[in-house]
């Protein structure tokens, strides 16, 4: 078995990442989780946080720099790179859900728009900030995925988060020799506006962000933030019908 596993040499070991003294940029900073990525970074010693949004708001803290950034807009990304050339921690948090979880019912434009926000946006942002992150050893990229990367309940959303998960894995390998640590985040429902429609257990945004920053500072590569997510990832190695048991009851 081992002989079939592709070995990718990653070069020198990265220094342990830390939020202490960091300059952080958070996308979707006005959102339920983004707000906590901003505030909790400061609590851990970050010296500056760029709180980016399509419509930035005022923050009552001199260490927080509001910055306009639409992650689907090339010119907006370029302007953010120019305005925030000292970033050491990039948090790709912004995301969106399509109007329907059905991949058959949404429009083609909705599918493309969701890929723009959840896949192309974070990937192009990581590429644009790559030279800045690589300039400081111990820099960090955090990509926020979802349990939906591994469980197809969200149609275009699940597909976009699966694509981002794959890109994160590629970026991790490419960034490692540059001393840039890459952490991917997967979780079930979090109590924010995005999950307002959902029933069932939701973790608090502050719990999630604490878990993510703890993992980053422990040098971990992947966050599975709840039991649901851990179960789904483990089930991927089994047959597909075990992950989707309703398939058998709907067979004709
Ligand atoms: N909540 C959950 O249950 C859950 C579960 C798994 C994963 N996630 C992921 O967690 C991340 C944060 O979501 P959340 O729960 O905090 O949702 P949220 O409160 O709806 O926040 C999402 C943020 O993304 C921003 N955004 C959307 N499109 C953007 C664009 N083109 N450019 C810049 N910003 C954009 C939104 O900005 P506007 O204010 O301008 O719309 C909003 O601030 C997302 O990636 C989401 O997919 C959430």
């Amino acid at each position: 078995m081992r002989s079939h596993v592709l070995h990718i040499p990653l070069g020198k070991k990265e220094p342990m990442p830390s939020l202490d003294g960091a300059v952080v940029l958070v996308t979707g900073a006005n959102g339920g989780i983004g707000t906590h990525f901003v505030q909790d970074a400061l609590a851990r010693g970050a010296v500056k946080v760029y709180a980016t949004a399509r419509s930035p708001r005022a923050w009552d803290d001199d260490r927080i720099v509001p910055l306009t950034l639409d992650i689907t807009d090339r010119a907006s990304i370029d302007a953010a790179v120019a305005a925030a050339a000292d970033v050491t921690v990039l948090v790709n948090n912004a995301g969106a859900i399509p109007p329907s979880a059905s991949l058959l019912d949404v429009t083609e434009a909705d599918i493309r728009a969701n890929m723009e926000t959840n896949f192309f946006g974070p990937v192009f942002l990581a590429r644009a900030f790559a030279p800045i992150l690589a300039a400081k050893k111990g820099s960090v990229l955090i990509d926020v995925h979802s349990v939906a990367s591994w469980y197809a309940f969200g149609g275009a959303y699940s597909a976009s988060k699966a694509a981002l998960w794959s890109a994160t894995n590629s970026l991790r390998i490419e960034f490692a020799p540059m001393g840039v640590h890459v952490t991917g985040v997967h979780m079930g429902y979090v109590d924010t506006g995005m999950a307002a429609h959902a029933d069932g257990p939701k973790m608090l945004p502050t719990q999630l962000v604490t878990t993510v920053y703890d993992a980053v500072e422990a040098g971990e590569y992947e966050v599975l933030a709840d039991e649901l997510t851990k179960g789904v990832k483990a089930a991927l190695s089994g047959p597909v019908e075990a992950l989707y048991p309703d398939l058998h009851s709907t067979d004709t």
Side-chain angles (χ1 to χ4, degrees), residues 175-230:
F175 270 130
M178 305 175 201
V180 179
H181 183 86
V182 178
T183 299
V185 181
H186 299 260
M187 69 286 200
Y189 286 126
V190 184
D191 198 3
T192 71
M194 184 177 285
H197 65 283
D199 298 324
K202 299 177 192 178
M203 68 190 305
L204 294 174
T206 182
Q207 271 178 291
L208 174 75
V209 171
T210 297
T211 304
V212 173
Y213 281 156
D214 281 352
V216 167
E217 295 195 310
E220 291 171 15
Y221 294 113
E222 196 162 68
V223 176
L224 310 186
D226 50 36
E227 293 308 310
L228 170 74
T229 304
K230 288 175 192 165

Side-chain angles (χ1 to χ4, degrees), residues 144-154 157-158 161-162 165 185-190 223-233 236 243-244:
V144 178
H145 315 128
S146 167
V147 67
S149 309
W150 299 321
Y151 193 69
F153 65 91
Y157 181 77
S158 290
K161 291 292 189 179
W165 166 56
V185 181
H186 299 260
M187 69 286 200
Y189 286 126
V190 184
V223 176
L224 310 186
D226 50 36
E227 293 308 310
L228 170 74
T229 304
K230 288 175 192 165
V232 169
K233 189 181 184 194
L236 286 177
L243 194 52
Y244 303 98

Side-chain angles (χ1 to χ4, degrees), residues 14-184:
E14 307 162 31
M16 195 63 95
S18 172
L19 271 300
D20 193 17
V23 177
V24 181
L25 186 146
V26 179
T27 66
N30 294 352
I33 297 171
T35 301
H36 289 277
F37 272 125
V38 172
Q39 288 166 339
D40 294 14
L42 294 174
R44 287 174 189 249
V47 290
K48 192 197 289 184
V49 181
Y50 295 101
T52 78
R54 289 182 284 194
S55 304
R57 69 172 175 91
W59 297 76
D60 194 15
D61 191 315
D62 289 345
R63 297 168 297 174
I64 303 178
V65 181
L67 192 64
T68 302
L69 175 56
D70 179 342
I71 60 166
T72 65
D73 180 337
R74 179 77 244 175
S76 185
I77 291 177
D78 291 345
V81 169
D86 52 352
V87 166
T88 62
V89 177
L90 172 62
V91 186
N92 263 326
N93 162 73
I97 48 174
S100 161
S102 165
L103 202 47
L104 297 178
D105 286 348
V106 288
T107 66
E108 198 175 305
D110 287 331
I111 297 171
R112 291 184 190 281
N114 203 240
M115 289 299 287
E116 288 289 347
T117 305
N118 292 352
F119 176 69
F120 291 115
V123 170
F124 291 167
L125 205 62
R127 284 161 48 97
F129 273 96
I132 291 172
L133 295 174
K136 183 119 192 273
K137 291 256 179 293
S139 290
V140 176
L141 169 66
I142 300 172
D143 278 352
V144 178
H145 315 128
S146 167
V147 67
S149 309
W150 299 321
Y151 193 69
F153 65 91
Y157 181 77
S158 290
S160 68
K161 291 292 189 179
L164 181 58
W165 166 56
S166 179
T168 302
N169 290 334
S170 295
L171 289 169
R172 180 179 297 118
I173 291 165
E174 290 194 58
F175 270 130
M178 305 175 201
V180 179
H181 183 86
V182 178
T183 299

